[in-house]
Each structure stands twice: as C-alpha cells, then as structure tokens.
Amino acid sequence: MIKPDSQLKTLNQLHPNQRADFFAQLWKKELKQTREGRPYTKVVFRDAGREVSAKIWEDSPWDSACREDWQAGGFYKIRGVYTVDSFGGQIKIQKIRPVEEADLQQGFDPLFCQPRSKEPPEDLHEAILELVAAELAHDELRQVVETLYQRHRETLLLLPASLRHHHRYAGGYLQHVYSVTRMAIRLVDHYRDQHPALYDPPLRDLVIAGCLLHDIGKLRELADPTQNGGQYTSAGQLLGHLIQGRDMVREVAAELELEGDWLLRLEHLILAHQGSPEHGSPRVPQTVEATLVHLVDQLDGSVFRLLEAFDEPSGGGPFTSPNNRWGQALYRGAVEEPASSEPSA
C-alpha cells in the first residue's frame, strides 16, 4: 500500500484549498446540465476515506477523455485542489491519468482507493460465526448459514452492502447484516413475553438466519469491487439479489440434503425482505419473521444514511449540506455564530 509523503497525499488528508497529488477511484460519472441548459459531466472520485466530485464542462481539456475514456471503477492519479462548498467536497483537476503498471509495481493497491468498514472485515466475519454458534439452535438453519459464510469468506470480506444506498464499502455487507442481526435478536427477545406468536419454535432462529442471509444474493448481483468499482453483474441487472439469494439457499439446502417447512419460510423471507413490489420484492412479508427482518433492515439502512449526512463536509457551519437523501440541510448543533450586523440599541 502506498505510504503518503510530502508530495503524495490521500483524499482524506486534504484540507480546504490544498493542492496535492493523489490516487483515487472514479466512482460515478453522470451527464447533467445546469438550469440554463449548459451540459457538463459530474464525476465522483473516492479513496478509502473520502468522496469528492468535479464538474467537467464541455470546454474543459478533460471533456473528450471524460466522455469517451474514463470508466467508472477505474483508478487514476490526480493532481488537483480540494475545496469545500455548500454541496460538499469538490476537486479542481489540474492533471489526471489512469493508474499505470509502474504504480502497481511501486505498491499501489486498488483497496487503497476504496472505503472499508471501521471494524476489520475479518473480525466481523468471525463475530458473525460466533453469533451463529451461540444463538442459532436450529441445526439445519445453522448448517446453511455456516456453509455460505465459510464458502464465500474471501468475497464477503470485500463486499459492500449496496452500491448507492448504504454501507457502500468493503466489509459493508458484513457490518450491515451483523448490525441487523443483533438488533433483531433484541427485538424478538424484548417482545416475547408479550406475544405468544414469538414462541413459535423456529421463529427466533428464522429471524437470525434471515438477517444473515437476506442479502446473500449480492454475492451474485455485484461484481468484484476491486476490479471494476462494484458494478452490477448481468444476472444482477436482470434478476437482482432477492431471487439469486433464494437460489443460493435452495442450492445449499439440496447439497446438504436438508428440507422442511423452515426452508419455505426462509425462502419467503428473502424474497419479501424489501417489503413490497414497488421496492423490489415479488411478495410482501406474510410471516412474523419476514416482517421483523424487513423492518430492522429498513431501520439499519435509514439510520446509516441519516448519520452519513452529518459526516459530509459543509464548510464548518451548524447545518449539513442539503445535498443528501433527505433533500434538506440538517442541524448539527449550535456553533459560535458570527456577530450580528444589526447595530446595538
């Protein structure tokens, strides 16, 4: 991995108005236009600690290369000036080129340009298997979960939970499902004394297995993030992760010669966890465990996006940028206000 020096910096190290050389991954490229109709390309670059955007105008020296050659997921060496405005971090590009073989030989690692979970993914994977051993009593469900998590360990360590919505970084999948599972266990245990339905023998185990497997189809939906920035596979585009997750569970159950009503309920949970057809589920949740997993999954993603909005740079004021999924500035808390221009009495 590249060691920053006085010349080479990381995006996360840059201060407003600082000029530096750095490596970054081109994460997004979108054709846009101003309110007046002037076209431009919005590009978003990222490394392990920060995302920044840039506008490439039609009269820019980078316009042709941006439109024809720059590929989302590609890695670039950039010289530019980092700035912050009301819409967040920006980069004014002065020089740019794709990463070359010489950069790789000198220690450049693609993972250097990709965000990672704060907890080491290896620790998250181990914690999940420990949770399964301690909490998942249903033998068949435990076999399915352990087989999938052990078989796909190396890919799961790098897998994001999503490309655009939440936990968009290596290890994000593991962080998300571990968080969802722990919350769901607390929820089931909290309400058990009040509701006899929660004493259905396999229900608690189905909730645990469902939390850990509801997004397992993303192993087939998403391509290798170290190679192309985490794009969708063809099957991901055409089928999505719900159907492919259900297929993976059925395949492992058949391989292990396991069957039972628990399998039907687990398949339904995976297919229904996004809640409704308009959100991507072919079925709405029709069991207690499917409903619980759907609700906790939605909560974890929403809380992540809310807190992420507070982490975005906005020039140091009390409000965040309005450029977030909530579509409005959010109040961070009181800071020292500038002196009023109104004359005192």
Side-chain angles (χ1 to χ4, degrees):
M1 186 170 291
I2 294 173
K3 303 294 185 182
D5 56 26
S6 57
Q7 286 75 42
L8 192 63
K9 301 290 185 182
T10 66
L11 272 175
N12 196 43
Q13 290 176 319
L14 300 185
H15 303 293
N17 301 316
Q18 183 176 5
R19 176 177 178 267
D21 294 344
F22 56 89
F23 290 104
Q25 181 184 46
L26 177 56
W27 182 232
K28 300 176 188 176
K29 186 173 79 168
E30 302 174 280
L31 295 176
K32 290 181 169 290
Q33 62 179 17
T34 64
R35 293 179 180 177
E36 295 75 26
R38 184 185 178 192
Y40 67 94
T41 304
K42 178 183 177 181
V43 292
V44 178
F45 290 97
R46 71 175 188 176
D47 69 0
R50 177 178 281 163
E51 291 184 6
V52 298
S53 62
K55 291 184 176 73
I56 309 298
W57 301 98
E58 57 184 347
D59 57 355
S60 164
W62 320 116
D63 177 56
S64 177
C66 176
R67 287 185 289 104
E68 298 175 10
D69 302 325
W70 296 2
Q71 297 295 321
F75 301 98
Y76 295 83
K77 185 174 183 181
I78 301 170
R79 176 173 296 168
V81 179
Y82 173 66
T83 63
V84 177
D85 59 21
S86 60
F87 294 99
Q90 311 283 324
I91 195 73
K92 295 179 180 178
I93 299 173
Q94 297 178 339
K95 290 185 178 181
I96 183 170
R97 66 163 173 80
V99 164
E100 299 172 348
E101 185 66 27
D103 299 319
L104 298 170
Q105 293 172 355
Q106 293 172 12
F108 171 73
D109 185 338
L111 289 177
F112 173 76
C113 292
Q114 295 174 343
R116 295 173 67 85
S117 58
K118 292 182 179 178
E119 303 94 332
E122 295 82 2
D123 292 353
L124 287 167
H125 189 271
E126 182 178 352
I128 285 171
L129 291 180
E130 289 175 353
L131 182 150
V132 169
E135 300 284 356
L136 193 49
H138 193 284
D139 185 58
E140 290 91 343
L141 282 167
R142 188 175 63 254
Q143 288 184 61
V144 172
V145 173
E146 288 178 341
T147 298
L148 285 165
Y149 271 77
Q150 290 170 346
R151 182 172 295 172
H152 299 284
R153 178 182 182 276
E154 297 308 311
T155 304
L156 289 172
L157 296 180
L158 299 175
L159 196 69
S162 68
L163 296 185
R164 301 288 180 262
H165 302 298
H166 62 91
H167 299 85
R168 306 180 302 273
Y169 43 76
Y173 173 94
L174 294 173
Q175 190 176 58
H176 170 60
V177 298
Y178 186 50
S179 172
V180 167
T181 306
R182 293 169 67 201
M183 283 196 292
I185 289 173
R186 293 191 186 99
L187 193 64
V188 172
D189 291 346
H190 176 77
Y191 285 108
R192 258 191 161 184
D193 291 338
Q194 303 175 39
H195 300 282
L198 295 179
Y199 278 97
D200 172 35
L203 185 141
R204 187 176 188 273
D205 291 324
L206 278 163
V207 168
I208 295 171
C211 288
L212 294 172
L213 296 177
H214 72 282
D215 278 345
I216 198 69
K218 292 191 176 182
L219 284 164
R220 295 181 178 177
E221 181 184 51
L222 304 180
D224 183 351
T226 66
Q227 299 300 316
N228 60 13
Q231 304 301 306
Y232 290 102
T233 62
S234 296
Q237 289 276 20
L238 296 174
L239 301 177
H241 71 280
L242 281 74
I243 291 173
Q244 293 186 96
R246 184 239 193 178
D247 288 349
M248 293 177 72
V249 166
R250 288 177 64 129
E251 290 164 10
V252 168
E255 175 188 329
L256 299 176
E257 299 183 348
L258 304 174
E259 59 182 17
D261 179 65
W262 61 269
L263 180 57
L264 176 64
R265 291 168 68 171
L266 180 59
E267 291 177 48
H268 168 71
L269 185 157
I270 292 170
L271 292 174
H273 82 265
Q274 290 190 318
S276 63
E278 57 265 33
H279 291 105
S281 279
R283 288 289 185 270
V284 298
Q286 293 177 267
T287 64
V288 174
E289 62 269 13
T291 303
L292 288 174
V293 173
H294 162 63
L295 293 173
V296 179
D297 178 44
Q298 292 292 104
L299 176 63
D300 191 63
S302 295
V303 170
F304 179 93
R305 290 188 290 263
L306 174 65
L307 298 178
E308 185 180 50
F310 282 85
D311 291 336
E312 288 294 318
S314 63
F319 287 90
T320 71
S321 162
N323 188 28
N324 55 53
R325 75 176 302 271
W326 312 100
Q328 61 183 21
L330 301 170
Y331 186 56
R332 283 195 174 102
V335 297
E336 184 176 346
E337 299 284 351
S340 171
S341 59
E342 183 178 349
S344 57

